[in-house]
Amino acid sequence: MFKTDALVLGVDEGRKRSTAVSGMNRGLSILDFIFKLLAIVGTLGSSIAMATTNETLPFVTRFVRFRAEYDDFPMFTYFVVANSIVCAYLVLSLPPSIFHILRSTAQGSRVLLIFSDTAMLVLLTAGASAAASIVYLAHKGNTKANWLSICQQFNSFCERISGSLIGSFGGVAMFIVLIPLSAVALSQR
């Protein structure tokens, strides 16, 4: 009788541990979903803010105008495309995230999402870094290369492009949290 009771206790403890791991995975999946929503807001906001940025300076005559648009700089175009791709990916990855909340033991789709999230982190970081370098040059210029800063003349333009970087780097931060979170959920079996 004693051995049977020990086996029953062992099975009960195994079930309790399995339930606890399942609850932890569900909680991690909910956090994953929330962080993806926050990253969607950041990347979508950055794309829209950058893509709608332009400023025209008034001049003495109406025939000569100085205009600055985001697509004058290839790095900003890359920034908009990269943020748009990452935002679309995040929207498409929401159904698997919901599936992971409902079924916390799924493993194959988690592995795929970890690799995909890592690829999107690289793309988003590259786009944000490329744009940040041009924003820095727009603000500070480079006297050695004889590049003048344009932010003294195009104040509104520079404020918007600087502001659009915030959402993008916020998305990078969300991915930096998402990837280890998914790895921890995957390691809990």
Side-chain angles (χ1 to χ4, degrees):
M1 270 201 211
F2 183 69
K3 289 183 181 179
T4 308
D5 291 339
L7 288 175
V8 170
L9 286 175
V11 169
D12 286 340
E13 287 180 18
R15 285 183 188 160
K16 287 180 185 176
R17 185 181 187 293
S18 174
T19 304
V21 168
S22 176
M24 184 175 155
N25 279 349
R26 183 166 286 118
L28 291 174
S29 297
I30 291 170
L31 281 175
D32 179 78
F33 184 76
I34 291 169
F35 286 144
K36 284 188 179 184
L37 289 176
L38 291 173
I40 287 171
V41 170
T43 56
L44 181 64
S46 291
S47 291
I48 291 171
M50 184 67 81
T52 58
T53 299
N54 61 21
E55 184 176 1
T56 304
L57 292 179
F59 205 61
V60 178
T61 67
R62 57 178 206 223
F63 297 111
V64 177
R65 291 193 177 188
F66 295 108
R67 185 177 182 106
E69 294 181 346
Y70 88 97
D71 58 356
D72 292 337
F73 302 93
M75 304 319 179
F76 293 158
T77 304
Y78 177 67
F79 176 84
V80 170
V81 170
N83 274 285
S84 300
I85 289 171
V86 170
C87 185
Y89 162 76
L90 287 166
V91 169
L92 292 175
S93 72
L94 286 179
S97 293
I98 293 170
F99 174 73
H100 292 148
I101 293 171
L102 300 175
R103 184 160 174 187
S104 60
T105 58
Q107 293 180 1
S109 57
R110 282 193 195 273
V111 171
L112 178 65
L113 281 179
I114 287 174
F115 285 116
S116 301
D117 286 350
T118 304
M120 292 299 121
L121 171 64
V122 170
L123 178 65
L124 189 59
T125 303
S129 299
S133 67
I134 299 302
V135 168
Y136 178 80
L137 283 175
H139 280 285
K140 303 287 184 182
N142 188 337
T143 55
K144 292 180 182 178
N146 204 18
W147 292 337
L148 303 174
S149 66
I150 65 166
C151 288
Q152 294 170 356
Q153 293 83 20
F154 295 98
N155 291 331
S156 174
F157 178 78
C158 288
E159 287 173 6
R160 286 196 52 136
I161 61 174
S162 298
S164 69
L165 291 176
I166 294 170
S168 188
F169 279 114
V172 168
M174 291 297 110
F175 272 113
I176 289 173
V177 172
L178 274 172
I179 294 168
L181 199 74
S182 297
V184 167
L186 185 63
S187 70
Q188 301 292 322
R189 295 181 190 194

